[in-house]
Amino acid sequence: MSKMCRYCFKHIRDRDELVTASNWFRLRPFHYRCFELLQQDTRPKAGTWNPVNGSVGTGVVIVMAVISIWMFTTGTLGAIGDIIGVLALYPIILRLLSYIIFELPLPKFIENKKDN
Ligand SMILES: [Zn+2]
C-alpha cells in the first residue's frame, strides 16, 4: 500500500509527519499539516476523519480496551454489554492496522526532508 497523503497526494516520508485517520471503515494516511487542513474543510466530501495514531488515538485505545475488558469479564448490561465490548474492539483493531500498515514501514524521523 502506498504511503501517499490522501489530501495533497504527495508521499509521506516519516512517522513524524504521519497522521492516520479513520472514517467509518476506511483508514487513510495524511500529513500532519494536511490533516489539520482536512479538519477545517467543511465540504461534505471531506467527511469526518478521526485521528487513529498519536496521543489522541492512544488515549482512545486505552479507554476502549478498559471498556472492552470490563464488558467481557463482568455481567454489566448483559447482552448489550457484550455488544458494547465488541464495538469497543473496533478502534483497537484500527490502531493495530494503522501501526502495521502505515507506521512500521516508515522511518521514525528523517532530518532535512526534501520536498518532492
Ligand atoms: Zn499531504
Side-chain angles (χ1 to χ4, degrees), residues 5-10 12 30-35:
C5 173
R6 297 305 158 112
Y7 192 82
C8 68
F9 298 102
K10 285 178 184 168
I12 296 165
F30 298 97
H31 289 112
Y32 181 76
R33 291 200 49 186
C34 292
F35 188 68

Side-chain angles (χ1 to χ4, degrees), residues 63-106:
V63 170
M64 290 301 170
V66 169
I67 292 173
S68 198
I69 292 164
W70 177 268
M71 290 301 172
F72 285 132
T73 55
T74 68
T76 310
L77 301 178
I80 293 165
D82 289 344
I83 293 166
I84 293 170
V86 170
L87 291 177
L89 286 176
Y90 175 60
I92 300 169
I93 292 165
L94 271 184
R95 184 70 187 84
L96 273 177
L97 285 176
S98 158
Y99 187 72
I100 294 164
I101 298 171
F102 298 114
E103 291 165 60
L104 267 185
L106 282 176

